[in-house]
Amino acid sequence: MAVTSRVIQTDKATKKRFIVGLLLFLGVIINYMDRSNLALAAPVIGVDLNLDSVQMGLIFSAFGWSYAILQIPGGLIVDKVKPRILYAIMLGGWSIATCLQSLVNGFSAFLGLRVILGIFEAPSYPTNNRVVTSWFPEQERATSTAFYTSGQYVGIAFFTPLLVYIQNAFGWRGMIFITGVIGVIYSIVWYLMYRDPKDSKANEAELNYIRQGGGIVDMDGKQNVRKASWSQLKYVLKNRNIWGVFIAQFCLSSILWFFLTWFPTYLVQYRGMGFIKMGFLASLPFLAAYVGILFSGFISDYLIKRGHSIGFARKVPIVSGLILATSIIGANYVDDQTAVIAFMALAFFGNGLASITWVFVSALAPSHLLGLTGGIFNFMGNLSAIAVPIIIGFLAKGGSFEPALVFISSLALIGALSYIFIVGKVERIVVPEE
């Protein structure tokens, strides 16, 4: 009996995939701290470097120029280079660019370094998606995607007050430098700890569990590149579902980029909040978004386990979240600062609820075009990183922020309609052999 017990224990599946999920979560926290630290410092930087709202809008959007343009090349790289190496290079590169931002004294230098930041961050989310697709079965994929994506909210929610305190103590330069150093350190941690499933300490029972659930454990980057072709990609891009997801992702990302760029400035300059108060209150919508995305992943995977289709289970939280996000327009009709934050928190909760959209890439993309399809998906979404900061800068130039919030609310509605009327049955696209 004792011998049998030991055999059963040996055959029990390991849980190494959850450590991988934690590594992705921490990487996303650092990713978004380095994207959003500029937003916290913007009111001070604008005064210190004598920059107007249009110039700040251009600096905010500069990251998006390179980030969006390089999504497709980045997707090709993701299909070719193993995540262990690629993620470490990306983290180190964008973190060094962040550190260098603390040294600039003018518009052009800031613009250039934000472009460099976008270059190194470009393959990050396609890499995250590849890691999740290879490490997690379908019935756990929404939860795992929600968990790592929640890092973009939880890091800002919990660290915004701390970063504002650091800025008050060491200035905006010190705050930006510190966030960059953290990323350099974590690039080393990632390289030392991450392995692909077949190279990891996950036992065969866990690998079989992932395989049987649709996880692509045996993904081989070099093999994928040999199989892929542009004619096959063109076939994928003819798919109606893909375009419905692309359109909605632009709208969803637009809401996020408002909060990552103009939101602190809106509270300070247009709602009259002090920096310390802004630091605490600005974290509340991010906390709401964090709750929203965790709830989204849980309910979506629960619906899968209850026998609902993948399309229904994934669309329910996404469409509901985008409809909730339209409530951001309510801030135009209240004067009380608490009410303003309440509307912002409700809207960003909706954004979080809708932010499991990467599961559609995992479900729709052919396995050998996973990185490339993910790159195009992220390209479409992050066109908003270019457009939204500039558009808001112009809309707010007259001294009123109300048109900007109408703009964001309208995009949320368009995103919901795209999932309702364009995205149909969700199944992996099978490309014809050449």
Side-chain angles (χ1 to χ4, degrees), residues 51-58 60 262 269-270 389-390 392-394 396-397:
L51 304 174
D52 61 27
S53 66
V54 174
Q55 288 176 309
M56 285 306 305
L58 289 169
F60 281 141
W262 281 105
Q269 294 185 0
Y270 296 87
I390 295 176
I392 291 178
F394 277 99
K397 191 176 181 181

Side-chain angles (χ1 to χ4, degrees), residues 30 34 89-101 117 120-121 176-177 179-187:
I30 293 168
D34 289 344
I89 293 172
M90 290 188 302
L91 266 162
W94 87 56
S95 298
I96 291 171
T98 299
C99 291
L100 292 175
Q101 288 175 52
L117 185 74
F120 279 100
E121 286 200 17
I176 289 178
F177 181 78
T179 56
V181 168
I182 292 171
V184 172
I185 295 171
Y186 191 70
S187 68

Side-chain angles (χ1 to χ4, degrees), residues 391-412:
I391 292 171
I392 291 178
F394 277 99
L395 290 175
K397 191 176 181 181
S400 172
F401 217 85
E402 291 183 5
L405 296 187
V406 172
F407 169 65
I408 296 299
S409 180
S410 300
L411 288 175

Side-chain angles (χ1 to χ4, degrees), residues 215-236:
I216 309 176
V217 170
D218 306 300
M219 191 181 299
D220 186 322
K222 293 180 180 179
Q223 184 183 22
N224 289 341
V225 170
R226 287 199 301 270
K227 287 184 177 181
S229 71
W230 288 109
S231 61
Q232 290 176 334
L233 178 62
K234 287 169 64 178
Y235 183 86
V236 171

Side-chain angles (χ1 to χ4, degrees), residues 252-273:
L252 181 69
S253 296
S254 296
I255 305 165
L256 175 62
W257 277 103
F258 160 69
F259 280 94
L260 290 178
T261 55
W262 281 105
F263 180 50
T265 300
Y266 167 68
L267 295 182
V268 172
Q269 294 185 0
Y270 296 87
R271 287 295 182 172
M273 293 186 189

